[in-house]
Amino acid sequence: WDYDNNNFKIYACNNAGTFLRWNDPRTGNSTDVVSVSGFNGQNVSAAHVSPYTANRVYFGTGNGTITQVDNAHTGTSIPGTQINTGAGMPAGYVNCIVTGSDDQHLIATFTNYGVQNVWITTNGGTSWTAIDGNLPDMPVRWALFHPDDDTKAFIATETGVWETDLINGASTVWTANGSFPTVRTDMIKYRAGDRTIAAGTHGRGIF
């Protein structure tokens, strides 16, 4: 799930072909189940509220589709637009979608073995490029663009936090953070107030 802290709504997974919208968690428990034809009957596995376009939410599913839903704040039936059609991405489990400095820059990560796990678009999903580079074959569960530069990124993986100073397609060089334990890491989030990244692990707490 993800929270729209401008319009005060939570968008979450629900069941096949739908998402759950909690209309204002500050004031009550009103919710709607919203069907999205663009999900192709699949379950939501990732949600990301755009910080740039009001009421736009990106959803990933368990079979590899990524759908942009505009006007997600209203109605109970929305078509949505799949933005990775024909991109060559795996039919895997999308665990994270995140924006960079605008809606044109997106990273999506997959948590399967035997696939390219990290994908980037710089044109809003018209085309995607795998940027696994030198990464081992392992699940990648979350990603962040560097807050100052869309050519740098951090990822949360099966073996900890890795980072790159240059996103460069198949030639991207990732380096494991040497001060971070070798542990499955499920999520990383950035706090702009003090420029801190928090990383949540599976069994080792939060760093």
Side-chain angles (χ1 to χ4, degrees):
W1 63 271
D2 199 17
Y3 180 54
D4 184 341
N5 58 5
N6 292 315
N7 294 313
F8 312 112
K9 298 183 186 303
I10 284 178
Y11 299 95
C13 66
N14 189 59
N15 56 20
T18 72
F19 69 84
L20 181 75
R21 182 179 60 229
W22 187 352
N23 292 307
D24 192 342
R26 304 171 305 164
T27 61
N29 58 5
S30 167
T31 61
D32 290 306
V33 173
V34 182
S35 63
V36 179
S37 57
F39 291 171
N40 297 321
Q42 298 297 312
N43 287 81
V44 167
S45 57
H48 176 70
V49 174
S50 169
Y52 307 108
T53 303
N55 305 306
R56 172 176 291 175
V57 186
Y58 298 97
F59 291 97
T61 68
N63 75 336
T65 64
I66 298 172
T67 301
Q68 175 184 305
V69 176
D70 289 331
N71 299 312
H73 66 302
T74 186
T76 57
S77 181
I78 302 173
T81 302
Q82 187 178 334
I83 60 171
N84 66 330
T85 303
M89 300 168 83
Y93 191 94
V94 182
N95 204 79
C96 172
I97 309 161
V98 64
T99 48
S101 61
D102 54 33
D103 280 340
Q104 298 302 300
H105 291 82
L106 299 164
I107 295 178
T109 67
F110 290 78
T111 56
N112 307 78
Y113 287 97
V115 302
Q116 297 290 301
N117 295 92
V118 191
W119 293 76
I120 187 171
T121 178
T122 59
N123 52 26
T126 301
S127 61
W128 294 80
T129 302
I131 58 170
D132 285 51
N134 65 321
L135 282 177
D137 179 13
M138 63 181 175
V140 178
R141 294 187 169 81
W142 216 269
L144 286 175
F145 283 98
H146 190 286
D148 301 330
D149 191 338
D150 287 330
T151 69
K152 301 178 181 181
F154 305 87
I155 52 175
T157 79
E158 190 73 9
T159 63
V161 174
W162 293 58
E163 54 198 86
T164 183
D165 285 333
L166 180 61
I167 294 172
N168 188 26
S171 298
T172 301
V173 176
W174 295 93
T175 303
N177 187 298
S179 63
F180 199 86
T182 303
V183 60
R184 169 178 157 174
T185 307
D186 290 327
M187 183 183 289
I188 48 178
K189 287 285 191 176
Y190 175 68
R191 184 171 60 196
D194 58 1
R195 296 179 64 83
T196 295
I197 292 176
T201 72
H202 184 77
R204 291 284 300 270
I206 298 175
F207 288 77

